[in-house]
Amino acid sequence: MDYRVKKINIRYVYSIMFIVASLFFLMQFLSCAGPQIGGSSKRAYYGDRHKSYKKYKSSKSEGKKSKSIKDRMIIYRAFFAINVESVSGTLKHVYRVVKTYNGFIESAVTSDSYRAARIIIRVPVKKFYSAVKKIETMGSITKKEISASDVTREFNDVSLRIKTADKIRTRLYALLKRTNKVKDRIAILKEITRLTQIIESLKTRRNYLKNKAAFSTIILKLKAKVRQVVTRFIPSPFPWIAGLRA
């Protein structure tokens, strides 16, 4: 009886030891595998976030780039020397083109009884190349020049100078109110006058750039084609006139 109880107790102890050992090895396995699994998932998580951030940053930079390109101020200018059949007829065609593209005639000069003309037209910058294509079909082009000037930096620089000068002038006005000495007031007024002249000059330049960038310039020099006149001698039916020619 005692032997059977002792045998059962030993089996019970072995079972408990086996369970404990199994749990120990299981915990060891999880402790080793856990950091690898966690690390890979962590790397995958942050890798995905990094890729998303790079994609967002790239799209943001592209958006800024496209916006900066869109906001650039470019002055387009074209010159054409064209030989035409009829200068007056071509001028009418030019007027129709200007009206079609919502432009205007800046100047038009004709000479030699409409044998030649020089005309300057202005068209919206978005219609520049469309107008150029129309003009190219008006006659035989002997000279063609197309140029583009980026004035974005100059425009921004002029705008900044206007803003800075205006701030200084505002401070001078405030200082003038607090000054009682005649000599100091005269000096401040002179400086205010000088700054006002600078501001007006800069504003004129800025308006010029803005206008030139908004409406492109196309200069046309038209010349009528010279027609060759063929002369032929026609003999007179009267002999005495033929004798006089001899």
Side-chain angles (χ1 to χ4, degrees):
M1 186 71 179
D2 295 337
Y3 174 75
R4 290 181 64 186
V5 172
K6 187 175 181 181
K7 189 175 182 180
I8 293 172
N9 290 336
I10 291 173
R11 289 179 178 177
Y12 179 72
V13 170
Y14 284 160
S15 299
I16 293 175
M17 289 177 65
F18 176 77
I19 293 171
V20 171
S22 299
L23 291 173
F24 176 76
F25 285 115
L26 181 62
M27 290 176 66
Q28 288 292 326
F29 172 76
L30 291 176
S31 63
C32 293
Q36 295 178 1
I37 297 173
S40 62
S41 62
K42 188 175 182 181
R43 284 193 299 271
Y45 172 72
Y46 283 105
D48 292 340
R49 287 195 64 183
H50 181 64
K51 290 179 180 178
S52 300
Y53 175 73
K54 286 180 70 177
K55 186 176 181 181
Y56 165 76
K57 190 175 180 180
S58 176
S59 62
K60 191 175 181 182
S61 62
E62 288 177 0
K64 286 183 177 180
K65 186 176 179 181
S66 61
K67 186 178 179 181
S68 63
I69 292 173
K70 186 179 179 181
D71 294 340
R72 300 194 80 82
M73 299 187 68
I74 300 176
I75 296 175
Y76 292 96
R77 184 179 181 276
F79 172 83
F80 290 93
I82 308 174
N83 290 339
V84 297
E85 294 292 339
S86 171
V87 172
S88 59
T90 304
L91 286 175
K92 292 178 182 178
H93 191 186
V94 171
Y95 296 152
R96 288 195 295 268
V97 170
V98 171
K99 187 177 180 181
T100 301
Y101 294 118
N102 299 320
F104 61 92
I105 305 293
E106 188 172 276
S107 67
V109 179
T110 60
S111 60
D112 195 13
S113 300
Y114 280 95
R115 297 292 299 170
R118 179 182 173 85
I119 182 169
I120 301 176
I121 66 175
R122 304 286 301 279
V123 294
V125 64
K126 292 182 179 180
K127 305 293 184 180
F128 175 72
Y129 286 107
S130 299
V132 165
K133 289 181 180 179
K134 288 285 186 180
I135 290 168
E136 288 176 343
T137 63
M138 293 181 180
S140 301
I141 299 173
T142 59
K143 188 175 182 181
K144 173 182 174 182
E145 294 178 356
I146 296 178
S147 62
S149 302
D150 191 341
V151 295
T152 308
R153 181 175 295 180
E154 182 183 358
F155 182 85
N156 292 335
D157 179 64
V158 170
S159 300
L160 181 60
R161 290 170 65 187
I162 292 172
K163 187 176 180 181
T164 303
D166 190 55
K167 285 183 178 180
I168 295 173
R169 186 175 61 174
T170 302
R171 292 176 183 175
L172 287 175
Y173 275 122
L175 182 62
L176 183 64
K177 292 179 181 180
R178 298 194 302 267
T179 303
N180 296 322
K181 293 182 179 181
V182 177
K183 185 178 180 181
D184 293 341
R185 290 178 65 87
I186 291 173
I188 293 172
L189 286 172
K190 285 183 178 180
E191 186 63 20
I192 289 174
T193 303
R194 188 183 71 85
L195 285 173
T196 301
Q197 292 175 351
I198 292 174
I199 290 171
E200 292 302 320
S201 177
L202 291 173
K203 283 184 177 180
T204 301
R205 179 60 181 173
R206 183 176 65 177
N207 291 336
Y208 171 81
L209 295 174
K210 189 175 181 180
N211 178 267
K212 287 292 184 180
F215 283 83
S216 303
T217 303
I218 302 176
I219 302 173
L220 303 177
K221 186 178 180 181
L222 306 178
K223 186 178 180 181
K225 293 180 179 180
V226 178
R227 295 181 180 178
Q228 295 182 354
V229 179
V230 179
T231 59
R232 189 178 62 175
F233 175 73
I234 301 175
S236 174
F238 303 101
W240 64 273
I241 294 178
L244 289 175
R245 180 177 176 83

